[in-house]
Amino acid sequence: MDSATIPVPTVRAASTQGRRLVRTRLPAALALLPTALVVLVVYIGCMLWTVRLSFTSSTLLPKLDWVGLAQYSRLFVNDRFVTSAENIVIFGVLFISGCLILGFLLAVFIDQNVRAEGIFRTVFLYPYAMSFVVTGVAWQWFLNPGLGLQKVVRDLGFESFTFDWLVNPDMAIYTIVIAGLWHGSGLTMAILLAGLRGVDEDLWKAAKVDGVPTWRVYTSIVLPLLRPMVVTATVLLATGVVKLYDLVVAMTMGGPGIATEVPAKFVMDHLFERNNIALGTAAATIMLITVVAVLAPWVYARYIRAQRRPA
Amino acid sequence: MRLKTRVSAYTLAIALVWTSGASAQQMKAEVLHWWTSAGESAAVKVFADQFTKAGGTWVDNAIAGGANARTAGINRMVGGNPPTMMQFNTGKQFDELVSNDLVRDVEAQAKAGKWREIMPKPIVDATVREGKFYAVPVNIHGQNWLFYNTKVFADAGLEPPKTFPELIASGEKLKAKGIIPIALGGQPNWEHNLFRAALVGHGGADMFRAVYGKRDPKILKDPKFKETVELFGKMRALVDPGSPGRNWNDATALVITNKAAMHFNGDWAKGEFIAAGQTAGKEYGCTLVGEGGGKLVIGGDVFVFPATKDKNALATQDKLIEVLLDPTSQIEFNKKKGSIPVRMDVDVSSMDVCAQKSHAVLSDPANQVEAMELLSPPNFSGAMQDAVTQFWNTPNMSADTFIEKVTAAMRDAG
């Protein structure tokens, strides 16, 4: 009998404690549930579904057979996909580094307490307010040899002036980079400017007392302090690189030839125009793997190793 | 008691809404299509008006962009909520809808209307699957017309070319006079369209079918194929440097404004000339280039009817079919659309010179060539397009390298 009575209070205690836990955590759990479901079903689910489809021979409609790596071996002998992959690397490296450098210089420029700072800030940030489609069309007109820059300079009397990058297959991808830089530098500037404004005045005073030249303060003291802002800007710019699609469609349609094709456009065309779901999803899977491969070391360094260090 | 009356009031209200909904559904047709430009929507309005006259309600669901519209429509069919009628291009786009029983056959109407006798064979073949019609063709578009500026040719003292070697010779003369010989929309699909015009004109109808239909790499070894590729390559020099990325209608505008002499396009380009106030046979002409008078590559549009068990919907679909192929709607629709009637038995004398020429050319079955969309799956035409646009935009690429690329396209995407 005794032994039976003893556990009762413990159970009751445990259950009240459990109830309290439920009472405090349940609303939070319920509030998070929809998001969790969306993440699981929509993101992870679709991702798995995409990967699964890349191993099939699906064309217009999904079909769940198994053809192994056949789509991948097709992909890597496909001129267009190889060009797309090269282009995204060129674009990614030049766009991210270019935006960071330009954005930093612009931010430093504005930080010199220039007059009419508000106007400059707005002007530099303005392109970011425009969609990639508008950006693409505007730059397409501007760079078109028969309509834009080249024609204007020639009309001014410089007959031999040539700037035909847009229609030159070897250079066309760099026009996309230029348009991207124009679009993205302002945002980088805004982020870095916010960082610059947060730098302690005393640091500047101390550096001045020590007679350190201004450029040296920027590169050796301010820039390291701005590291979190630089990381934020890089992440934002990197997402822009991965999803690069509308800028290319508006500006060159992937041309001349296949000179400015990018992976996202390859995926879209194969999924929706060419009734080739399998090849499209295979390309999408390669994009996913690439992004994960780039992100994994960073996540490891930032979160996993960082957590381990104190222990 | 009170509860009961309230319940019955609800039921009554619901019932009322239900029946009124049902009666409004009488012959209500939701039509999904991608005819959104000014000329196109004027054309589809002809069908809508005729259907309204016949006592139906036309619910227009226009989605801009063929690929977008098809994706939306297919998703709705797969999801079980299809439109009453949906547009496709004549050809293979709806193959899998047929094999998955998502669209109904219209064989009974086809037999009654003798479609097999009044429509050109390529169009019939492109709509019939396993002996049954699964779609209703509504028009015929010729894709390889050469539009030319009559004034530019007259000023240069030249005749419009009849064959491709002639075209290149007169193109070089025009270029020397400072005229753009060929206005080209430098986007991959228009470059590909130009290639197909050269292939059917110089290589001939059988070679065209062998490349796009049978997709047999043997044909690529034919010296005539290489010759065609080389002719196509020579045309690169006849296009102005501003071509890459240009829209097709901007290319047409170059001919309209006397800046360019020639422009290959489908007959839909007529809409641009008409909008600029020009008349076929006067300011501009249309002709087919190629040996033996030229063949006409034909495609067009069809409507499919998603399968349904609803008797009311079936009756609505039947009525729509009647309206689509009615001779009056055929003539009026095609005048606005720039195409020609799919029925060869209607009188086209009220249409423009180019349409009459189309009709006359097609009266001889030997001149009818199926368009790429009728012969190739989109996957292969896409792979061909990649190869063609690479060749076109890489001036130092040899014909042999191009042939290798086409062989690869046939192997991987055929």
Side-chain angles (χ1 to χ4, degrees), chain B residues 115-127 133 137 139-140 298-299 340-345 359 362-365 368-370 374:
Chain B
W115 295 0
R116 283 183 179 76
E117 288 158 39
I118 59 173
M119 295 178 188
K121 193 168 173 296
I123 301 286
V124 172
D125 289 346
T127 6
F133 267 91
N139 60 1
I140 301 173
I298 53 171
I340 66 164
V342 71
R343 307 177 54 147
M344 297 303 286
D345 62 342
H359 188 85
L362 290 181
S363 305
D364 179 1
Q368 306 165 349
V369 183
E370 306 84 343
L374 279 62

PDB file of all heavy atoms in Angstrom, chain B residues 115-127 133 137 139-140 298-299 340-345 359 362-365 368-370 374:
ATOM      1  N   TRP B 115     -13.524  16.966 -91.460  1.00  0.00           N
ATOM      2  CA  TRP B 115     -12.304  17.746 -91.262  1.00  0.00           C
ATOM      3  C   TRP B 115     -11.140  17.207 -92.073  1.00  0.00           C
ATOM      4  O   TRP B 115     -10.294  17.940 -92.542  1.00  0.00           O
ATOM      5  CB  TRP B 115     -11.905  17.768 -89.772  1.00  0.00           C
ATOM      6  CG  TRP B 115     -12.898  18.468 -88.900  1.00  0.00           C
ATOM      7  CD1 TRP B 115     -14.071  19.055 -89.293  1.00  0.00           C
ATOM      8  CD2 TRP B 115     -12.809  18.659 -87.489  1.00  0.00           C
ATOM      9  NE1 TRP B 115     -14.710  19.598 -88.217  1.00  0.00           N
ATOM     10  CE2 TRP B 115     -13.969  19.371 -87.093  1.00  0.00           C
ATOM     11  CE3 TRP B 115     -11.872  18.293 -86.521  1.00  0.00           C
ATOM     12  CZ2 TRP B 115     -14.197  19.722 -85.773  1.00  0.00           C
ATOM     13  CZ3 TRP B 115     -12.101  18.650 -85.211  1.00  0.00           C
ATOM     14  CH2 TRP B 115     -13.246  19.359 -84.829  1.00  0.00           C
ATOM     15  N   ARG B 116     -11.096  15.875 -92.214  1.00  0.00           N
ATOM     16  CA  ARG B 116      -9.959  15.284 -92.919  1.00  0.00           C
ATOM     17  C   ARG B 116      -9.907  15.704 -94.373  1.00  0.00           C
ATOM     18  O   ARG B 116      -8.852  15.703 -94.987  1.00  0.00           O
ATOM     19  CB  ARG B 116     -10.016  13.759 -92.811  1.00  0.00           C
ATOM     20  CG  ARG B 116      -9.573  13.250 -91.452  1.00  0.00           C
ATOM     21  CD  ARG B 116      -9.562  11.736 -91.398  1.00  0.00           C
ATOM     22  NE  ARG B 116      -9.102  11.265 -90.100  1.00  0.00           N
ATOM     23  CZ  ARG B 116      -9.828  11.269 -89.000  1.00  0.00           C
ATOM     24  NH1 ARG B 116     -11.067  11.705 -89.031  1.00  0.00           N
ATOM     25  NH2 ARG B 116      -9.335  10.827 -87.849  1.00  0.00           N
ATOM     26  N   GLU B 117     -11.073  16.069 -94.931  1.00  0.00           N
ATOM     27  CA  GLU B 117     -11.095  16.464 -96.334  1.00  0.00           C
ATOM     28  C   GLU B 117     -10.844  17.951 -96.512  1.00  0.00           C
ATOM     29  O   GLU B 117     -10.262  18.369 -97.513  1.00  0.00           O
ATOM     30  CB  GLU B 117     -12.450  16.100 -96.961  1.00  0.00           C
ATOM     31  CG  GLU B 117     -12.597  14.608 -97.152  1.00  0.00           C
ATOM     32  CD  GLU B 117     -14.050  14.197 -97.261  1.00  0.00           C
ATOM     33  OE1 GLU B 117     -14.841  14.940 -97.892  1.00  0.00           O
ATOM     34  OE2 GLU B 117     -14.403  13.131 -96.700  1.00  0.00           O
ATOM     35  N   ILE B 118     -11.288  18.765 -95.541  1.00  0.00           N
ATOM     36  CA  ILE B 118     -11.201  20.212 -95.771  1.00  0.00           C
ATOM     37  C   ILE B 118      -9.953  20.843 -95.169  1.00  0.00           C
ATOM     38  O   ILE B 118      -9.676  22.000 -95.421  1.00  0.00           O
ATOM     39  CB  ILE B 118     -12.465  20.939 -95.238  1.00  0.00           C
ATOM     40  CG1 ILE B 118     -12.643  20.680 -93.743  1.00  0.00           C
ATOM     41  CG2 ILE B 118     -13.696  20.527 -96.015  1.00  0.00           C
ATOM     42  CD1 ILE B 118     -13.762  21.504 -93.143  1.00  0.00           C
ATOM     43  N   MET B 119      -9.183  20.087 -94.399  1.00  0.00           N
ATOM     44  CA  MET B 119      -7.984  20.681 -93.800  1.00  0.00           C
ATOM     45  C   MET B 119      -6.726  20.073 -94.423  1.00  0.00           C
ATOM     46  O   MET B 119      -6.733  18.910 -94.807  1.00  0.00           O
ATOM     47  CB  MET B 119      -7.959  20.406 -92.295  1.00  0.00           C
ATOM     48  CG  MET B 119      -9.083  21.082 -91.541  1.00  0.00           C
ATOM     49  SD  MET B 119      -9.000  20.663 -89.802  1.00  0.00           S
ATOM     50  CE  MET B 119     -10.550  21.361 -89.221  1.00  0.00           C
ATOM     51  N   PRO B 120      -5.628  20.840 -94.530  1.00  0.00           N
ATOM     52  CA  PRO B 120      -4.386  20.285 -95.083  1.00  0.00           C
ATOM     53  C   PRO B 120      -3.893  19.115 -94.231  1.00  0.00           C
ATOM     54  O   PRO B 120      -4.046  19.124 -93.006  1.00  0.00           O
ATOM     55  CB  PRO B 120      -3.405  21.450 -95.009  1.00  0.00           C
ATOM     56  CG  PRO B 120      -4.233  22.670 -94.857  1.00  0.00           C
ATOM     57  CD  PRO B 120      -5.488  22.251 -94.172  1.00  0.00           C
ATOM     58  N   LYS B 121      -3.301  18.136 -94.914  1.00  0.00           N
ATOM     59  CA  LYS B 121      -2.898  16.918 -94.225  1.00  0.00           C
ATOM     60  C   LYS B 121      -1.941  17.161 -93.057  1.00  0.00           C
ATOM     61  O   LYS B 121      -2.111  16.539 -91.992  1.00  0.00           O
ATOM     62  CB  LYS B 121      -2.278  15.947 -95.241  1.00  0.00           C
ATOM     63  CG  LYS B 121      -2.123  14.553 -94.700  1.00  0.00           C
ATOM     64  CD  LYS B 121      -1.793  13.577 -95.805  1.00  0.00           C
ATOM     65  CE  LYS B 121      -1.463  12.203 -95.234  1.00  0.00           C
ATOM     66  NZ  LYS B 121      -0.243  12.206 -94.396  1.00  0.00           N
ATOM     67  N   PRO B 122      -0.915  18.041 -93.180  1.00  0.00           N
ATOM     68  CA  PRO B 122      -0.011  18.233 -92.024  1.00  0.00           C
ATOM     69  C   PRO B 122      -0.758  18.684 -90.770  1.00  0.00           C
ATOM     70  O   PRO B 122      -0.425  18.271 -89.666  1.00  0.00           O
ATOM     71  CB  PRO B 122       0.951  19.338 -92.493  1.00  0.00           C
ATOM     72  CG  PRO B 122       0.929  19.277 -93.965  1.00  0.00           C
ATOM     73  CD  PRO B 122      -0.452  18.833 -94.343  1.00  0.00           C
ATOM     74  N   ILE B 123      -1.779  19.514 -90.975  1.00  0.00           N
ATOM     75  CA  ILE B 123      -2.538  20.003 -89.823  1.00  0.00           C
ATOM     76  C   ILE B 123      -3.363  18.864 -89.227  1.00  0.00           C
ATOM     77  O   ILE B 123      -3.421  18.688 -88.001  1.00  0.00           O
ATOM     78  CB  ILE B 123      -3.467  21.167 -90.250  1.00  0.00           C
ATOM     79  CG1 ILE B 123      -2.657  22.316 -90.837  1.00  0.00           C
ATOM     80  CG2 ILE B 123      -4.337  21.624 -89.097  1.00  0.00           C
ATOM     81  CD1 ILE B 123      -1.889  23.147 -89.860  1.00  0.00           C
ATOM     82  N   VAL B 124      -3.975  18.060 -90.114  1.00  0.00           N
ATOM     83  CA  VAL B 124      -4.756  16.914 -89.635  1.00  0.00           C
ATOM     84  C   VAL B 124      -3.850  15.965 -88.860  1.00  0.00           C
ATOM     85  O   VAL B 124      -4.149  15.585 -87.723  1.00  0.00           O
ATOM     86  CB  VAL B 124      -5.428  16.177 -90.829  1.00  0.00           C
ATOM     87  CG1 VAL B 124      -6.078  14.887 -90.350  1.00  0.00           C
ATOM     88  CG2 VAL B 124      -6.443  17.076 -91.506  1.00  0.00           C
ATOM     89  N   ASP B 125      -2.704  15.633 -89.462  1.00  0.00           N
ATOM     90  CA  ASP B 125      -1.782  14.694 -88.806  1.00  0.00           C
ATOM     91  C   ASP B 125      -1.331  15.213 -87.442  1.00  0.00           C
ATOM     92  O   ASP B 125      -1.091  14.433 -86.520  1.00  0.00           O
ATOM     93  CB  ASP B 125      -0.540  14.459 -89.678  1.00  0.00           C
ATOM     94  CG  ASP B 125      -0.879  13.646 -90.904  1.00  0.00           C
ATOM     95  OD1 ASP B 125      -1.987  13.052 -90.916  1.00  0.00           O
ATOM     96  OD2 ASP B 125      -0.070  13.605 -91.851  1.00  0.00           O
ATOM     97  N   ALA B 126      -1.227  16.531 -87.333  1.00  0.00           N
ATOM     98  CA  ALA B 126      -0.719  17.092 -86.084  1.00  0.00           C
ATOM     99  C   ALA B 126      -1.776  17.111 -84.990  1.00  0.00           C
ATOM    100  O   ALA B 126      -1.448  17.319 -83.826  1.00  0.00           O
ATOM    101  CB  ALA B 126      -0.208  18.503 -86.324  1.00  0.00           C
ATOM    102  N   THR B 127      -3.021  16.915 -85.351  1.00  0.00           N
ATOM    103  CA  THR B 127      -4.071  16.973 -84.332  1.00  0.00           C
ATOM    104  C   THR B 127      -4.658  15.594 -84.049  1.00  0.00           C
ATOM    105  O   THR B 127      -5.329  15.420 -83.043  1.00  0.00           O
ATOM    106  CB  THR B 127      -5.204  17.930 -84.770  1.00  0.00           C
ATOM    107  OG1 THR B 127      -4.964  18.362 -86.091  1.00  0.00           O
ATOM    108  CG2 THR B 127      -5.278  19.115 -83.872  1.00  0.00           C
ATOM    109  N   PHE B 133      -9.265  12.757 -83.672  1.00  0.00           N
ATOM    110  CA  PHE B 133      -8.963  14.170 -83.449  1.00  0.00           C
ATOM    111  C   PHE B 133      -9.031  14.472 -81.959  1.00  0.00           C
ATOM    112  O   PHE B 133     -10.017  14.134 -81.299  1.00  0.00           O
ATOM    113  CB  PHE B 133     -10.001  15.042 -84.169  1.00  0.00           C
ATOM    114  CG  PHE B 133      -9.591  15.443 -85.548  1.00  0.00           C
ATOM    115  CD1 PHE B 133      -9.938  14.667 -86.653  1.00  0.00           C
ATOM    116  CD2 PHE B 133      -8.865  16.604 -85.750  1.00  0.00           C
ATOM    117  CE1 PHE B 133      -9.567  15.034 -87.927  1.00  0.00           C
ATOM    118  CE2 PHE B 133      -8.497  16.988 -87.033  1.00  0.00           C
ATOM    119  CZ  PHE B 133      -8.846  16.206 -88.120  1.00  0.00           C
ATOM    120  N   PRO B 137      -8.232  22.491 -84.853  1.00  0.00           N
ATOM    121  CA  PRO B 137      -7.361  23.512 -85.443  1.00  0.00           C
ATOM    122  C   PRO B 137      -8.213  24.708 -85.848  1.00  0.00           C
ATOM    123  O   PRO B 137      -9.355  24.539 -86.289  1.00  0.00           O
ATOM    124  CB  PRO B 137      -6.794  22.828 -86.687  1.00  0.00           C
ATOM    125  CG  PRO B 137      -7.221  21.400 -86.620  1.00  0.00           C
ATOM    126  CD  PRO B 137      -8.389  21.318 -85.722  1.00  0.00           C
ATOM    127  N   ASN B 139      -6.528  27.762 -87.328  1.00  0.00           N
ATOM    128  CA  ASN B 139      -5.902  28.610 -88.345  1.00  0.00           C
ATOM    129  C   ASN B 139      -4.626  27.968 -88.867  1.00  0.00           C
ATOM    130  O   ASN B 139      -4.161  26.961 -88.324  1.00  0.00           O
ATOM    131  CB  ASN B 139      -5.592  29.997 -87.770  1.00  0.00           C
ATOM    132  CG  ASN B 139      -4.641  29.924 -86.586  1.00  0.00           C
ATOM    133  OD1 ASN B 139      -4.200  28.852 -86.194  1.00  0.00           O
ATOM    134  ND2 ASN B 139      -4.329  31.055 -86.011  1.00  0.00           N
ATOM    135  N   ILE B 140      -4.088  28.561 -89.919  1.00  0.00           N
ATOM    136  CA  ILE B 140      -2.804  28.110 -90.458  1.00  0.00           C
ATOM    137  C   ILE B 140      -1.887  29.319 -90.537  1.00  0.00           C
ATOM    138  O   ILE B 140      -2.238  30.334 -91.134  1.00  0.00           O
ATOM    139  CB  ILE B 140      -2.951  27.504 -91.868  1.00  0.00           C
ATOM    140  CG1 ILE B 140      -3.904  26.309 -91.830  1.00  0.00           C
ATOM    141  CG2 ILE B 140      -1.599  27.093 -92.420  1.00  0.00           C
ATOM    142  CD1 ILE B 140      -4.235  25.765 -93.200  1.00  0.00           C
ATOM    143  N   ILE B 298       4.076  25.241 -92.343  1.00  0.00           N
ATOM    144  CA  ILE B 298       2.827  25.654 -91.700  1.00  0.00           C
ATOM    145  C   ILE B 298       2.654  25.082 -90.302  1.00  0.00           C
ATOM    146  O   ILE B 298       2.997  23.944 -90.004  1.00  0.00           O
ATOM    147  CB  ILE B 298       1.581  25.307 -92.559  1.00  0.00           C
ATOM    148  CG1 ILE B 298       1.574  23.833 -92.939  1.00  0.00           C
ATOM    149  CG2 ILE B 298       1.511  26.199 -93.770  1.00  0.00           C
ATOM    150  CD1 ILE B 298       0.291  23.397 -93.590  1.00  0.00           C
ATOM    151  N   GLY B 299       2.146  25.940 -89.458  1.00  0.00           N
ATOM    152  CA  GLY B 299       1.739  25.552 -88.116  1.00  0.00           C
ATOM    153  C   GLY B 299       0.457  26.289 -87.843  1.00  0.00           C
ATOM    154  O   GLY B 299      -0.246  26.671 -88.769  1.00  0.00           O
ATOM    155  N   ILE B 340      -4.376  32.169 -92.149  1.00  0.00           N
ATOM    156  CA  ILE B 340      -5.437  31.864 -93.099  1.00  0.00           C
ATOM    157  C   ILE B 340      -6.333  30.777 -92.509  1.00  0.00           C
ATOM    158  O   ILE B 340      -5.918  30.042 -91.612  1.00  0.00           O
ATOM    159  CB  ILE B 340      -4.899  31.450 -94.490  1.00  0.00           C
ATOM    160  CG1 ILE B 340      -4.158  30.121 -94.417  1.00  0.00           C
ATOM    161  CG2 ILE B 340      -4.034  32.544 -95.086  1.00  0.00           C
ATOM    162  CD1 ILE B 340      -3.969  29.492 -95.782  1.00  0.00           C
ATOM    163  N   PRO B 341      -7.569  30.691 -92.998  1.00  0.00           N
ATOM    164  CA  PRO B 341      -8.504  29.712 -92.433  1.00  0.00           C
ATOM    165  C   PRO B 341      -7.954  28.297 -92.535  1.00  0.00           C
ATOM    166  O   PRO B 341      -7.272  27.962 -93.508  1.00  0.00           O
ATOM    167  CB  PRO B 341      -9.754  29.861 -93.295  1.00  0.00           C
ATOM    168  CG  PRO B 341      -9.667  31.235 -93.854  1.00  0.00           C
ATOM    169  CD  PRO B 341      -8.212  31.516 -94.030  1.00  0.00           C
ATOM    170  N   VAL B 342      -8.259  27.503 -91.539  1.00  0.00           N
ATOM    171  CA  VAL B 342      -7.793  26.129 -91.547  1.00  0.00           C
ATOM    172  C   VAL B 342      -8.615  25.298 -92.521  1.00  0.00           C
ATOM    173  O   VAL B 342      -8.187  24.266 -93.006  1.00  0.00           O
ATOM    174  CB  VAL B 342      -7.833  25.542 -90.115  1.00  0.00           C
ATOM    175  CG1 VAL B 342      -9.260  25.310 -89.643  1.00  0.00           C
ATOM    176  CG2 VAL B 342      -7.032  24.273 -90.024  1.00  0.00           C
ATOM    177  N   ARG B 343      -9.806  25.796 -92.832  1.00  0.00           N
ATOM    178  CA  ARG B 343     -10.655  25.109 -93.814  1.00  0.00           C
ATOM    179  C   ARG B 343     -10.275  25.626 -95.191  1.00  0.00           C
ATOM    180  O   ARG B 343     -10.352  26.817 -95.468  1.00  0.00           O
ATOM    181  CB  ARG B 343     -12.133  25.432 -93.586  1.00  0.00           C
ATOM    182  CG  ARG B 343     -12.619  25.197 -92.191  1.00  0.00           C
ATOM    183  CD  ARG B 343     -14.066  25.630 -92.095  1.00  0.00           C
ATOM    184  NE  ARG B 343     -14.876  24.976 -93.107  1.00  0.00           N
ATOM    185  CZ  ARG B 343     -16.150  24.647 -92.912  1.00  0.00           C
ATOM    186  NH1 ARG B 343     -16.733  24.908 -91.769  1.00  0.00           N
ATOM    187  NH2 ARG B 343     -16.834  24.069 -93.859  1.00  0.00           N
ATOM    188  N   MET B 344      -9.881  24.693 -96.059  1.00  0.00           N
ATOM    189  CA  MET B 344      -9.463  25.122 -97.387  1.00  0.00           C
ATOM    190  C   MET B 344     -10.689  25.379 -98.269  1.00  0.00           C
ATOM    191  O   MET B 344     -10.553  25.816 -99.409  1.00  0.00           O
ATOM    192  CB  MET B 344      -8.549  24.079 -98.033  1.00  0.00           C
ATOM    193  CG  MET B 344      -7.246  23.849 -97.284  1.00  0.00           C
ATOM    194  SD  MET B 344      -6.275  25.353 -97.079  1.00  0.00           S
ATOM    195  CE  MET B 344      -5.649  25.579 -98.729  1.00  0.00           C
ATOM    196  N   ASP B 345     -11.902  25.084 -97.763  1.00  0.00           N
ATOM    197  CA  ASP B 345     -13.095  25.194 -98.605  1.00  0.00           C
ATOM    198  C   ASP B 345     -13.806  26.537 -98.458  1.00  0.00           C
ATOM    199  O   ASP B 345     -14.909  26.705 -98.934  1.00  0.00           O
ATOM    200  CB  ASP B 345     -14.064  24.044 -98.292  1.00  0.00           C
ATOM    201  CG  ASP B 345     -14.562  24.090 -96.848  1.00  0.00           C
ATOM    202  OD1 ASP B 345     -13.922  24.773 -96.021  1.00  0.00           O
ATOM    203  OD2 ASP B 345     -15.577  23.449 -96.556  1.00  0.00           O
ATOM    204  N   HIS B 359      -3.027  30.726 -99.383  1.00  0.00           N
ATOM    205  CA  HIS B 359      -4.095  29.783 -99.712  1.00  0.00           C
ATOM    206  C   HIS B 359      -3.783  29.069-101.023  1.00  0.00           C
ATOM    207  O   HIS B 359      -3.925  27.852-101.130  1.00  0.00           O
ATOM    208  CB  HIS B 359      -5.426  30.543 -99.804  1.00  0.00           C
ATOM    209  CG  HIS B 359      -6.613  29.660 -99.937  1.00  0.00           C
ATOM    210  ND1 HIS B 359      -7.236  29.107 -98.842  1.00  0.00           N
ATOM    211  CD2 HIS B 359      -7.280  29.218-101.033  1.00  0.00           C
ATOM    212  CE1 HIS B 359      -8.248  28.362 -99.272  1.00  0.00           C
ATOM    213  NE2 HIS B 359      -8.298  28.412-100.587  1.00  0.00           N
ATOM    214  N   LEU B 362      -0.892  26.599-100.643  1.00  0.00           N
ATOM    215  CA  LEU B 362      -1.266  25.407 -99.875  1.00  0.00           C
ATOM    216  C   LEU B 362      -2.242  24.511-100.615  1.00  0.00           C
ATOM    217  O   LEU B 362      -2.459  23.364-100.222  1.00  0.00           O
ATOM    218  CB  LEU B 362      -1.859  25.816 -98.530  1.00  0.00           C
ATOM    219  CG  LEU B 362      -0.874  26.428 -97.536  1.00  0.00           C
ATOM    220  CD1 LEU B 362      -1.572  26.754 -96.242  1.00  0.00           C
ATOM    221  CD2 LEU B 362       0.297  25.497 -97.286  1.00  0.00           C
ATOM    222  N   SER B 363      -2.839  25.031-101.690  1.00  0.00           N
ATOM    223  CA  SER B 363      -3.776  24.192-102.443  1.00  0.00           C
ATOM    224  C   SER B 363      -3.063  22.998-103.058  1.00  0.00           C
ATOM    225  O   SER B 363      -3.686  21.993-103.377  1.00  0.00           O
ATOM    226  CB  SER B 363      -4.451  25.011-103.543  1.00  0.00           C
ATOM    227  OG  SER B 363      -5.060  26.127-102.961  1.00  0.00           O
ATOM    228  N   ASP B 364      -1.754  23.120-103.253  1.00  0.00           N
ATOM    229  CA  ASP B 364      -0.976  21.973-103.733  1.00  0.00           C
ATOM    230  C   ASP B 364      -0.330  21.295-102.528  1.00  0.00           C
ATOM    231  O   ASP B 364       0.557  21.873-101.886  1.00  0.00           O
ATOM    232  CB  ASP B 364       0.100  22.468-104.702  1.00  0.00           C
ATOM    233  CG  ASP B 364       0.966  21.322-105.221  1.00  0.00           C
ATOM    234  OD1 ASP B 364       0.693  20.155-104.827  1.00  0.00           O
ATOM    235  OD2 ASP B 364       1.901  21.595-105.987  1.00  0.00           O
ATOM    236  N   PRO B 365      -0.775  20.068-102.212  1.00  0.00           N
ATOM    237  CA  PRO B 365      -0.258  19.399-101.008  1.00  0.00           C
ATOM    238  C   PRO B 365       1.266  19.282-101.003  1.00  0.00           C
ATOM    239  O   PRO B 365       1.872  19.201 -99.938  1.00  0.00           O
ATOM    240  CB  PRO B 365      -0.906  18.015-101.059  1.00  0.00           C
ATOM    241  CG  PRO B 365      -2.090  18.176-101.930  1.00  0.00           C
ATOM    242  CD  PRO B 365      -1.768  19.271-102.913  1.00  0.00           C
ATOM    243  N   GLN B 368       2.977  21.828 -98.833  1.00  0.00           N
ATOM    244  CA  GLN B 368       2.704  21.916 -97.404  1.00  0.00           C
ATOM    245  C   GLN B 368       3.803  21.223 -96.615  1.00  0.00           C
ATOM    246  O   GLN B 368       4.024  20.028 -96.773  1.00  0.00           O
ATOM    247  CB  GLN B 368       1.361  21.235 -97.079  1.00  0.00           C
ATOM    248  CG  GLN B 368       0.200  21.769 -97.905  1.00  0.00           C
ATOM    249  CD  GLN B 368      -1.011  20.863 -97.845  1.00  0.00           C
ATOM    250  OE1 GLN B 368      -0.937  19.729 -97.364  1.00  0.00           O
ATOM    251  NE2 GLN B 368      -2.143  21.348 -98.329  1.00  0.00           N
ATOM    252  N   VAL B 369       4.488  21.963 -95.784  1.00  0.00           N
ATOM    253  CA  VAL B 369       5.527  21.366 -94.946  1.00  0.00           C
ATOM    254  C   VAL B 369       5.163  21.601 -93.484  1.00  0.00           C
ATOM    255  O   VAL B 369       4.852  22.728 -93.103  1.00  0.00           O
ATOM    256  CB  VAL B 369       6.905  21.979 -95.243  1.00  0.00           C
ATOM    257  CG1 VAL B 369       7.978  21.295 -94.408  1.00  0.00           C
ATOM    258  CG2 VAL B 369       7.226  21.872 -96.714  1.00  0.00           C
ATOM    259  N   GLU B 370       5.231  20.552 -92.695  1.00  0.00           N
ATOM    260  CA  GLU B 370       4.883  20.680 -91.286  1.00  0.00           C
ATOM    261  C   GLU B 370       5.908  21.538 -90.576  1.00  0.00           C
ATOM    262  O   GLU B 370       7.110  21.395 -90.775  1.00  0.00           O
ATOM    263  CB  GLU B 370       4.860  19.298 -90.602  1.00  0.00           C
ATOM    264  CG  GLU B 370       3.990  18.267 -91.260  1.00  0.00           C
ATOM    265  CD  GLU B 370       4.704  17.566 -92.407  1.00  0.00           C
ATOM    266  OE1 GLU B 370       5.734  18.091 -92.896  1.00  0.00           O
ATOM    267  OE2 GLU B 370       4.230  16.497 -92.825  1.00  0.00           O
ATOM    268  N   LEU B 374       5.339  20.750 -85.168  1.00  0.00           N
ATOM    269  CA  LEU B 374       4.545  19.574 -85.475  1.00  0.00           C
ATOM    270  C   LEU B 374       5.419  18.327 -85.549  1.00  0.00           C
ATOM    271  O   LEU B 374       4.944  17.218 -85.426  1.00  0.00           O
ATOM    272  CB  LEU B 374       3.817  19.752 -86.815  1.00  0.00           C
ATOM    273  CG  LEU B 374       2.523  20.558 -86.812  1.00  0.00           C
ATOM    274  CD1 LEU B 374       2.773  21.978 -86.382  1.00  0.00           C
ATOM    275  CD2 LEU B 374       1.894  20.543 -88.191  1.00  0.00           C
TER     276      LEU B 374
END
